[in-house]
Amino acid sequence: MARVNRPVRVVVVDDDALVRAGLSMMLDGAAGLAVVGEAADGDEVPGVVDAHSPDVVLMDLRMPRVDGATATRALRRRPRPPEVVVLTTFDSDDDVLGALRAGANGFLLKDTPPPEIVDAIHRVAAGDPILSPRVLRGLMDRAVVHADSAQRARTALAELSPREHAVVLAVARGHTNAEIARELSVSVATVKAHVSHILTKLALGNRTQIALLAHDAGLA
């Protein structure tokens, strides 16, 4: 996988000082990463992001004052937001699904091996979403999708072309741009263009939200 030429700038957000320190030490010692700031709660995130301009924010969910989903939603409203990777101990909590809908581009459990956390940050910084398949599958299986939500999702997807619809299905299955390109016999650049058009048409923030919309529609 291609890496950016400079270190990926990371901000670590966690209300547990020991966890925050451990993550920062681990990530700052990893090749191609630089921890440029920390925050102990969601309400500190805007100031830290303004001060350090990170590429990726590693975000806890449960924090005393402002939770990770709320902090993520606020970041996604910015003109050039950093990517957000949720790192949580909760694999079946509604907050996780809420964070994805808020715009997080990936999430992992806190028992994820350090090399996988490092790789996830690199991949998200490069534009590829990282979703823990086991956790996401469990959340989606338990999520209650009301009839009106399903209908709204189907109506939105009906606006897409057949090729865009195929891309949505592939994204919902967790396929990368390269994998989708091979499946559809097109270039990676073409896949990226389709994804960009889909996000614009559906007023979505990232690929994770495409996958969730497909799930709401009963397609994944």
Side-chain angles (χ1 to χ4, degrees), residues 55-71:
D55 302 300
V56 176
V57 175
L58 192 64
M59 184 81 74
D60 190 19
L61 281 183
R62 292 291 185 90
M63 293 178 283
R65 297 187 299 274
V66 174
D67 63 75
T70 300

Side-chain angles (χ1 to χ4, degrees), residues 76-152:
R76 298 307 301 178
R77 295 192 187 108
R78 292 173 171 240
R80 295 174 61 86
E83 301 292 353
V84 175
V85 176
V86 169
L87 186 66
T88 178
T89 58
F90 302 99
D91 66 349
S92 61
D93 195 276
D94 288 343
D95 287 343
V96 179
L97 187 57
L100 292 175
R101 294 192 184 280
N105 210 24
F107 72 84
L108 302 168
L109 295 178
K110 284 185 176 178
D111 62 0
T112 300
E116 293 183 21
I117 297 176
V118 170
D119 184 63
I121 292 171
H122 277 296
R123 291 181 62 182
V124 167
D128 289 330
I130 295 296
L131 306 175
S132 172
R134 174 174 62 85
V135 176
L136 183 58
R137 189 176 302 114
L139 284 172
M140 286 184 168
D141 287 344
R142 288 187 292 270
V144 177
V145 180
H146 298 292
D148 56 345
S149 298
Q151 185 56 49
R152 283 197 300 268

Side-chain angles (χ1 to χ4, degrees), residues 126-204:
D128 289 330
I130 295 296
L131 306 175
S132 172
R134 174 174 62 85
V135 176
L136 183 58
R137 189 176 302 114
L139 284 172
M140 286 184 168
D141 287 344
R142 288 187 292 270
V144 177
V145 180
H146 298 292
D148 56 345
S149 298
Q151 185 56 49
R152 283 197 300 268
R154 294 188 191 106
T155 299
L157 293 174
E159 300 295 321
L160 303 179
S161 70
R163 179 51 60 89
E164 289 170 339
H165 197 269
V167 171
V168 166
L169 290 177
V171 169
R173 296 184 186 111
H175 295 180
T176 65
N177 286 340
E179 290 169 339
I180 297 171
R182 288 194 297 271
E183 291 172 14
L184 302 182
S185 299
V186 297
S187 69
V188 171
T190 297
V191 174
K192 289 180 178 179
H194 281 313
V195 171
S196 179
H197 293 158
I198 290 165
L199 292 174
T200 299
K201 281 186 178 182
L202 302 183
L204 300 175

